[in-house]
């Protein structure tokens, strides 16, 4: 029986020169779970293009699995780990993907953190799109509150999000 | 309806047979509705009716083409009035194909839509533009021929149908299988009970493309408006392997062959099995192998299974899958029923089916698939002519947008199941997944400003 993968073994495999080894690592990543997101983020941000690409894929597998029904603790853990990858010391592409992941598994707490990125010119639009996906009236209130202190352009974008969140499917597409 | 009125295609109001009724009783032909003839004369009621804004049978339809590369280039008419593309090279090549008059060239489709003299537009852009452009074109009073796949998300599909109906526009989706004679033969063969009740359809198709190259910062070529190319999608930096045809292999934008030829193959499945109006639940599971040797992230192999209910049957998309040995082809589908089977290869502008279906003649009272009555014409051109004629008739076209949305729903939910790595149940009646909040967050895409539906 193969040994249970560890974060260390996962990272080693993700950095492996062989495509098959990297693929195997990606497919096993969710067995380790959300604790691997941080270390994988570091590889994703690195200069080894092949390892970076594999790390990106592994993070997605973990995050989407964490968002499954009846696993709120894992979704929260994934959100906490992803939030760390949104820091400005990470490359824009890592931040953007982490932000997108937060839009899929995050809640009001993550939306509140994402709202702080609306004034970050590198990822402001990514942050808005992610917040837009997160359901709940608290997020509406957050967007309205954020709009008050936003630039004219920022307010216009937030207004688009608010409208989209309250779309009537019977009328969408109709002026 | 007057006796001279053009009968609608089978997928519309006339000659409708419910999916359940068909699937459950396909072995007995007796339930089929009456056959209908397609008059080759021009009915009086399609003559020009200015009060309703309808074009007459002999009126010229002024066309503008949006998206002039790839398949979009095939829609350029000798007399196209306007051309639009974000790439100057595409525009220049397209302009050479217009022989009558000088088309106005645009890089922003909104300017083209402002033209009052343009009646109809074709949309041959990457997928992420189809919905917004279709909606805005309908709002501007234009009829639309949009390339497949119809839309990126379930929400976009709803918007397209709403706009088409609200503004009374003819919106045709580029699923040429609906205008391809061998496909109609397969439809007639199966829907008149020749293989019994449908149990399984297996589509085989080659792998998604792959590359060994990785992203490196690359200057946007002069003449390409990359910001407009990205449009409503979340921002990605330019790279030639992300642009034009290559977008198909990025999960953010193109999402693999399942949305390309898969759309065509599933379109044929929907027609042949009578699923155009299915409103039940479908269970979807997917697996695939990520291709990690390059920058594209569409899975290299992919297998998606959709299981429909009442009665239960299964559709499979399999890359690479196994070509049918009896009737092989690069891609195609084997339709298996309770009393027989049938193979259809291809399903876009090219399609072939077995001789037994080609030789089959439905009974007069049986099901007759609609085919725009034009002799000796390429299926893709027949499909365009069906659109033009539908505009003149004021009737929905063969691949009406609502059918397009019904069809693309299966690849959309298949890709979501693959991304999430779990089996999902989608309810057509509510257009949502059952008991999976995360999956439901994938049913719409937030748009980059200033774009919105």
């Amino acid at each position: 029986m193969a040994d249970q993968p560890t974060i260390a073994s996962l990272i080693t495999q993700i950095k492996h020169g062989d495509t098959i080894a990297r693929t195997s690592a990606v497919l096993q990543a969710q067995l380790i779970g959300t604790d691997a997101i941080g270390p994988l983020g570091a590889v994703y941000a690195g200069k080894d293009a092949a390892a970076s690409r594999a790390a990106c894929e592994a993070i997605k597998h973990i995050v989407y699995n964490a968002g499954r029904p009846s696993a709120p603790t894992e979704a929260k853990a994934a959100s906490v780990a992803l939030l760390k990858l949104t820091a400005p010391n990470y490359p824009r592409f890592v931040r953007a993907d982490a932000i997108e992941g937060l839009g899929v598994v995050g809640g009001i707490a993550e939306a509140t953190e994402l709202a702080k990125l609306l004034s970050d010119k590198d990822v402001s639009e990514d942050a808005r799109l992610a917040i837009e996906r997160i359901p709940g009236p608290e997020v509406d209130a957050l967007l309205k509150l954020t709009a008050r202190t936003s630039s004219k352009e920022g307010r216009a974008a937030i207004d688009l999000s608010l409208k989209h969140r309250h779309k009537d499917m019977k009328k969408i597409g109709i002026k | 309806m007057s006796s001279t009125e053009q009968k609608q295609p089978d997928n519309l109001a006339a000659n409708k047979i419910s999916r359940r009724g068909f699937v459950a009783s396909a072995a007995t032909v007796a339930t089929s509705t009456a056959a209908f003839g397609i008059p080759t004369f021009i009915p009086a009621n399609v003559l020009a009716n200015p009060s309703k804004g309808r074009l007459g049978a002999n009126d010229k339809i002024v066309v503008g083409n949006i998206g002039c590369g790839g398949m979009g280039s095939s829609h350029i008419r000798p007399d196209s009035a306007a051309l639009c593309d974000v790439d100057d090279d595409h525009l220049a090549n397209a302009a050479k194909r217009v022989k009558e008059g000088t088309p106005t060239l645009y890089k922003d489709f909104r300017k083209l839509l402002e033209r009052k003299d343009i009646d109809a537009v074709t949309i041959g852009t990457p997928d992420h533009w189809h919905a917004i452009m279709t909606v805005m074109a309908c709002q501007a009073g234009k009829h639309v021929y949009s390339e497949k796949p119809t839309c990126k998300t379930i929400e976009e599909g709803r918007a397209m149908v709403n706009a088409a109906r609200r503004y009374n526009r003819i919106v045709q989706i580029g699923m040429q299988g609906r205008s391809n004679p061998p496909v109609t033969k397969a439809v007639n063969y199966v829907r008149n009970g020749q293989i019994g009740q449908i149990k399984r359809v297996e589509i085989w198709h080659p792998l998604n493309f792959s590359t060994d190259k990785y992203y490196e910062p690359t200057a946007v070529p002069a003449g390409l408006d990359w910001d407009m190319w990205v449009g409503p999608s979340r921002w990605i930096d330019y790279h030639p392997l992300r642009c034009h045809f290559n977008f198909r292999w990025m999960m953010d934008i193109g999402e693999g062959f399942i949305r390309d030829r898969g759309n065509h193959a599933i379109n044929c499945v929907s027609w042949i099995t009578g699923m155009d109006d299915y409103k039940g639940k479908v269970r979807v599971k997917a697996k695939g192998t990520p291709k990690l040797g390059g920058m594209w992230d569409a899975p290299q192999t992919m297998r998606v299974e959709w299981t429909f209910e009442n009665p239960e049957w299964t559709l499979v998309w399999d890359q690479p899958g196994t070509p049918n040995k009896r009737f092989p082809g690069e891609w195609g589908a084997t339709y298996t029923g309770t009393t027989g089977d049938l193979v259809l290869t291809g399903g876009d502008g090219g399609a072939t089916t077995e001789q037994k279906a080609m030789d089959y003649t439905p009974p007069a009272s049986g099901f007759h698939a609609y085919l725009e009555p034009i002799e000796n014409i390429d299926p893709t051109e027949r499909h365009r002519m069906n659109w033009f004629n539908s505009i003149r008739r004021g009737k929905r076209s063969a691949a009406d947008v609502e059918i397009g949305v019904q069809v693309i729903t299966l690849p959309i939910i298949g890709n979501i199941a693959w991304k999430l790595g779990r089996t999902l149940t989608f309810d057509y009646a509510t257009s949502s997944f059952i008991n999976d909040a995360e999956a439901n967050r994938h049913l719409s895409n937030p748009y980059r400003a200033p774009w919105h539906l």
Side-chain angles (χ1 to χ4, degrees):
Chain A
M1 181 184 289
D3 292 337
Q4 179 73 11
T6 64
I7 293 176
S9 68
L10 175 70
I11 298 300
T12 299
Q13 290 291 93
I14 287 287
K15 291 180 174 177
H16 203 288
D18 178 55
T19 303
I20 295 172
R22 293 199 302 278
T23 303
S24 174
V26 166
L27 295 175
Q28 290 190 57
Q30 67 191 51
L31 295 176
I32 297 176
T34 55
D35 287 347
I37 292 175
L40 285 167
V43 179
Y44 186 18
K47 293 189 184 308
D48 181 339
S52 173
R53 165 87 175 79
C56 169
E57 198 79 28
I59 291 170
K60 286 180 182 173
H61 272 65
I62 294 170
V63 170
Y64 289 147
N65 183 57
R68 68 190 184 279
S70 306
T73 308
E74 282 187 58
K76 183 64 185 176
S79 298
V80 169
L82 286 173
L83 268 175
K84 292 176 181 170
L85 300 185
T86 68
N89 56 311
Y90 283 95
R92 203 206 86 83
F93 59 88
V94 175
R95 302 178 74 197
D97 279 357
I99 289 167
E100 186 183 46
L102 285 165
V104 175
V105 296
I108 178 60
E110 289 69 38
T112 303
E113 293 302 314
L114 288 169
K116 297 173 185 171
L117 298 175
L118 290 172
S119 56
D120 182 326
K121 63 178 173 53
D122 286 342
V123 292
S124 61
E125 192 66 344
D126 298 278
R128 183 181 68 84
L129 302 189
I131 296 170
E132 190 174 313
R133 276 192 200 275
I134 300 173
E138 304 96 331
V139 177
D140 290 332
L142 173 71
L143 284 168
K144 289 172 184 169
L145 187 66
T146 307
R148 288 185 200 165
T149 55
S150 298
S151 64
K152 183 180 174 186
E153 190 180 44
R155 278 198 303 278
I158 289 172
D159 190 47
L160 288 176
S161 289
L162 284 166
K163 284 180 179 166
H164 186 216
R165 289 168 61 82
H166 291 281
K167 66 195 177 291
D168 177 350
M169 287 297 279
K170 289 180 180 171
K171 295 179 180 171
I172 193 165
I174 298 170
K175 270 185 183 173
Chain B
M1 182 181 289
S2 73
S3 60
T4 57
E5 187 170 1
Q6 172 84 51
K7 296 277 176 58
Q8 293 177 324
D10 80 286
N11 43 42
L12 304 177
N15 198 35
K16 184 172 275 186
I17 188 170
S18 77
R19 181 205 64 84
R20 183 181 299 188
F22 164 67
V23 175
S25 60
T28 56
V29 181
T31 58
S32 298
T33 55
F36 57 91
I38 303 300
T40 52
F41 56 86
I42 299 166
N45 66 332
V46 302
L47 294 178
N49 186 346
S51 65
K52 293 185 179 177
R54 183 189 297 172
L55 291 161
N58 298 313
D59 285 344
K60 178 180 176 180
I61 297 173
V62 180
V63 174
N65 305 108
I66 303 171
C68 297
M71 193 62 190
S73 66
S74 76
H75 301 310
I76 297 163
R77 314 297 296 179
D79 58 352
S80 286
L83 304 170
C84 177
D85 201 287
V86 297
D87 189 328
D88 283 346
D89 288 344
H90 286 178
L91 274 179
N93 289 331
K96 291 174 189 169
R97 301 179 59 175
V98 178
K99 304 300 181 189
E100 300 167 28
T102 304
T104 312
L105 307 183
Y106 300 94
K107 292 186 84 166
D108 186 333
F109 72 98
R110 292 169 292 190
K111 298 293 183 189
L112 185 151
L113 294 181
E114 288 173 3
R115 289 264 300 265
K116 301 297 183 196
D117 61 318
I118 291 178
D119 303 304
V121 296
T122 66
I123 299 171
T125 63
D127 311 359
H128 59 288
W129 272 114
H130 292 175
I132 287 184
M133 288 176 170
T134 295
V135 166
M136 292 180 69
C138 289
Q139 290 173 348
K142 318 300 184 197
H143 301 285
V144 177
Y145 181 119
S146 177
E147 265 309 322
K148 63 90 209 28
T150 308
C151 52
K152 284 277 292 173
T153 67
I154 300 300
E155 178 188 79
E156 285 186 342
R158 187 69 256 157
M160 294 168 81
V161 173
N162 284 350
R165 300 296 180 257
R166 171 64 180 81
Y167 302 104
N168 198 24
R169 297 298 91 184
I170 305 301
V171 179
Q172 171 92 309
I173 303 301
M175 305 188 299
Q176 308 100 298
R178 300 270 169 164
S179 297
N180 199 330
V183 179
T184 65
K185 294 289 187 181
V187 171
N188 288 339
Y189 191 79
V190 174
R191 290 184 75 159
N192 286 292
Q194 299 304 297
I195 67 170
Q197 181 180 320
I198 287 285
K199 300 301 289 183
R200 190 174 186 84
V201 180
E202 292 231 16
I203 303 168
W204 75 89
H205 192 282
L207 304 177
N208 286 324
F209 288 9
S210 61
T211 177
D212 292 332
K213 293 186 170 67
Y214 290 97
Y215 172 80
E216 291 181 1
T218 310
V220 179
L224 173 64
D225 185 342
W226 180 246
D227 183 75
M228 196 67 169
W229 192 97
V230 176
S233 290
R234 74 179 187 130
W235 181 257
I236 51 172
D237 291 325
Y238 171 79
H239 189 282
L241 291 179
R242 288 174 171 169
C243 189
H244 295 332
F245 176 76
N246 294 318
F247 76 86
R248 181 60 66 209
W249 321 117
M250 295 187 301
M251 292 307 282
D252 257 6
I253 307 275
E255 301 187 77
F257 260 135
I258 192 172
R259 288 176 51 82
D260 192 293
R261 283 176 174 171
N263 188 133
H264 285 302
I266 294 169
N267 168 49
C268 295
V269 173
S270 187
W271 200 15
I272 290 170
T273 62
M275 295 289 284
D276 283 349
D277 58 357
Y278 179 73
K279 292 299 175 200
K281 298 180 180 68
V282 56
R283 190 169 71 249
V284 56
K285 59 181 179 180
K287 60 181 182 180
T289 310
K291 174 68 169 71
L292 296 178
M295 64 191 284
W296 291 333
D297 61 351
Q300 191 168 34
T301 68
M302 189 175 207
R303 181 182 171 88
V304 182
E305 288 187 24
W306 299 269
T307 302
F308 304 90
E309 61 176 13
N310 200 20
E312 184 173 300
W313 69 280
T314 300
L315 168 63
V316 179
W317 163 262
D318 201 359
Q319 294 177 271
T322 307
N324 189 292
K325 289 179 182 171
R326 189 178 72 230
F327 196 74
E330 185 193 6
W331 58 290
T334 303
Y335 294 74
T336 304
T338 50
T339 61
D341 61 11
L342 181 72
V343 183
L344 174 73
T345 63
D348 50 6
T352 54
T353 192
E354 295 180 88
Q355 200 58 45
K356 60 186 179 185
M358 295 299 289
D359 292 341
Y360 174 75
T361 302
S365 61
F367 188 91
H368 295 245
Y370 179 80
L371 187 66
E372 190 69 24
I374 307 169
E375 296 298 321
N376 301 318
I377 189 169
D378 163 74
T380 300
E381 182 62 8
R382 185 197 300 270
H383 202 54
R384 280 188 287 260
M385 294 308 294
N386 169 260
W387 176 53
F388 288 129
N389 291 341
S390 297
I391 292 170
R392 294 189 172 102
R393 291 191 286 256
K395 298 282 188 186
R396 294 181 196 174
S397 54
D400 173 67
V401 62
E402 198 160 352
I403 296 170
V405 173
Q406 178 86 358
V407 167
I408 197 58
T409 294
L410 295 176
I412 287 172
I413 64 174
N415 272 327
I416 294 173
W418 181 79
K419 286 179 193 172
L420 302 190
R422 57 181 175 268
T423 300
L424 303 169
T425 301
F426 184 81
D427 187 349
Y428 267 95
T430 60
S431 295
S432 63
F433 292 106
I434 296 173
N435 296 329
D436 197 317
E438 183 194 21
N440 281 326
R441 289 197 199 183
H442 289 269
L443 294 177
S444 69
N445 272 343
Y447 285 172
R448 236 169 27 108
W451 303 105
H452 63 91
L453 284 171

